[in-house]
């Protein structure tokens, strides 16, 4: 919206002013966009080399899964510079505005969310708390697929969990169970199945492309941030030393 654009231009103007520039250039707009969308950089935050390496592989996992699965939103940037509460971020920017989401698209999103966790499993043979938010979002998405959008073949095109709303405010204030205990168990099974199947799919993808994962992660450790063209080149197996 207009307010968002005004905020972005103001941030870009502040960046240009700090450099004593007379004009705002595209680099200032790019940095301002990152700050507005991803939060301010926290370069002063002290991170151990081991944790930095783990973050690089985690974000490389998200990035590579998004590149390997057709039909996903393009990766715009990946960074291991801490922003907000995150130690690293992978940013996708849709090519166009979406109003409805196909089942395959939602499954792909779950797969991308699990990419970081699976990368940790494959490379470090361990898991960390870094994937906590990813797992929460993946589980919530799978639950909505089953309970809200009727995307479970086993449970059918039904909605589970009736919502009570305030008539005038239109805000959800409560949600109660309108299904049996047996159905609740089936819902849990279906949610687990969706997440587990995507986890297995991602594990196969990354295991088959471990060399590319390592190349992305190691370059991230060197450069801290990678843009679209650099990511494309690395996935193709090309050097980006000259870029």
């Amino acid at each position: 919206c207009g307010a968002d654009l005004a905020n972005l231009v103001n941030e870009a103007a502040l960046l240009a002013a700090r450099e004593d520039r007379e004009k705002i250039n595209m680099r200032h707009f790019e940095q301002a966009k990152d700050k507005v969308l991803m939060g301010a950089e926290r370069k002063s935050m002290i991170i151990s080399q081991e944790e930095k390496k783990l973050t690089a592989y985690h974000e490389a996992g998200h990035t590579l899964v998004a590149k390997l699965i057709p039909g996903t939103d393009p990766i715009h940037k990946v960074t291991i510079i801490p922003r907000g509460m995150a130690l690293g971020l992978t940013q996708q920017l849709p090519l166009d505005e979406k109003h409805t989401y196909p089942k395959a698209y939602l499954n792909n999103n779950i797969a991308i969310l699990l990419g970081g966790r699976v990368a940790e499993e494959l490379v470090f043979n361990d898991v960390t708390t870094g994937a906590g938010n990813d797992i929460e979002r993946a589980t919530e998405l799978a639950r909505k697929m089953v309970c809200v959008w009727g995307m479970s073949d086993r449970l059918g095109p039904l909605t589970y969990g009736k919502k009570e709303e305030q008539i005038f405010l239109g805000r959800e204030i409560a949600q109660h169970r309108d299904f049996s205990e047996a159905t609740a168990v089936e819902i849990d099974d279906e949610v687990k199945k969706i997440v587990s199947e995507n986890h297995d799919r991602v594990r196969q993808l990354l295991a088959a492309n471990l060399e590319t994962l390592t190349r992305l992660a190691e370059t991230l450790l060197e450069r801290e941030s990678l843009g679209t063209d650099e990511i494309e080149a690395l996935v193709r197996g090309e050097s980006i030393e000259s870029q």
Side-chain angles (χ1 to χ4, degrees):
C1 66
D4 291 329
L5 292 172
N7 186 27
L8 185 141
V9 173
N10 286 337
E11 287 290 347
L14 287 170
L15 290 167
R18 289 191 192 109
E19 296 178 1
D20 291 327
R21 302 274 183 172
E22 293 184 0
K23 294 181 180 180
I24 303 171
N25 60 35
M26 284 307 298
R27 181 174 58 82
H28 298 131
F29 280 121
E30 179 70 18
Q31 291 174 348
K33 183 263 300 169
D34 287 346
K35 184 176 180 181
V36 170
L37 290 180
M38 300 191 290
E41 290 185 358
R42 293 193 296 161
K43 285 192 172 182
S44 60
M45 186 177 180
I46 300 171
I47 304 171
S48 69
Q49 193 60 32
E50 187 60 31
E51 198 164 32
K52 199 172 181 182
K53 182 178 180 181
L54 192 142
T55 303
Y57 273 94
H58 183 101
E59 297 305 328
H62 288 309
T63 301
L64 187 53
V65 171
K67 293 301 296 179
L68 293 174
I69 297 177
T72 60
D73 292 329
I75 295 289
H76 175 69
K77 177 174 285 188
V78 57
T79 180
I80 56 170
I81 297 172
R83 287 179 178 272
M85 297 301 293
L87 294 180
L89 284 165
T90 301
Q91 185 185 48
Q92 289 177 272
L93 291 181
L95 292 173
D96 48 24
E97 192 173 354
K98 289 184 174 67
H99 301 285
T100 57
Y101 300 93
K103 183 178 178 180
Y105 178 87
L106 298 173
N107 269 307
N108 290 343
N109 272 4
I110 292 173
I112 294 167
L113 285 167
L114 296 173
R117 170 64 173 260
V118 175
E120 291 178 21
E121 294 172 8
L122 288 171
V123 177
F124 301 97
N125 198 29
D126 199 359
V127 292
T128 71
T129 57
N133 182 249
D134 297 330
I135 293 171
E136 182 182 348
R137 288 163 62 196
T139 305
E140 179 63 23
L141 192 50
R143 189 166 292 278
K144 282 186 175 181
M145 289 173 71
V146 174
C147 297
V148 179
W149 300 316
M151 292 181 175
S152 165
D153 294 334
R154 179 177 171 186
L155 290 165
L158 298 170
T159 298
Y160 297 94
K162 188 175 181 181
K163 296 174 183 176
E164 295 177 357
E165 297 180 348
Q166 290 176 298
I167 296 172
F168 297 106
L169 297 180
R171 293 178 180 172
E172 180 188 327
I173 58 171
Q175 184 169 354
H176 68 268
R177 181 183 291 183
D178 57 356
F179 45 84
S180 67
E181 190 63 38
T183 301
V185 172
E186 285 191 86
I187 289 170
D188 289 341
D189 286 345
E190 281 296 280
V191 172
K192 183 178 180 181
K193 180 185 174 186
I194 290 171
V195 176
S196 297
E197 285 180 350
N198 278 295
H199 179 276
D200 293 343
R201 174 165 69 130
V202 171
R203 192 175 180 87
Q204 290 175 6
L205 270 176
L206 293 185
N209 294 273
L210 205 52
E211 187 179 329
T212 306
L213 178 70
T214 301
R215 186 162 56 248
L216 277 167
E218 294 300 324
T219 310
L220 256 180
L221 279 170
E222 292 173 15
R223 300 196 172 204
E224 293 191 318
S225 295
L226 296 171
T228 305
D229 294 340
E230 293 166 320
I231 293 167
E232 290 278 359
L234 288 166
V235 171
R236 289 195 301 264
E238 299 171 4
S239 172
I240 60 169
E241 294 303 318
S242 59
Q243 293 185 16

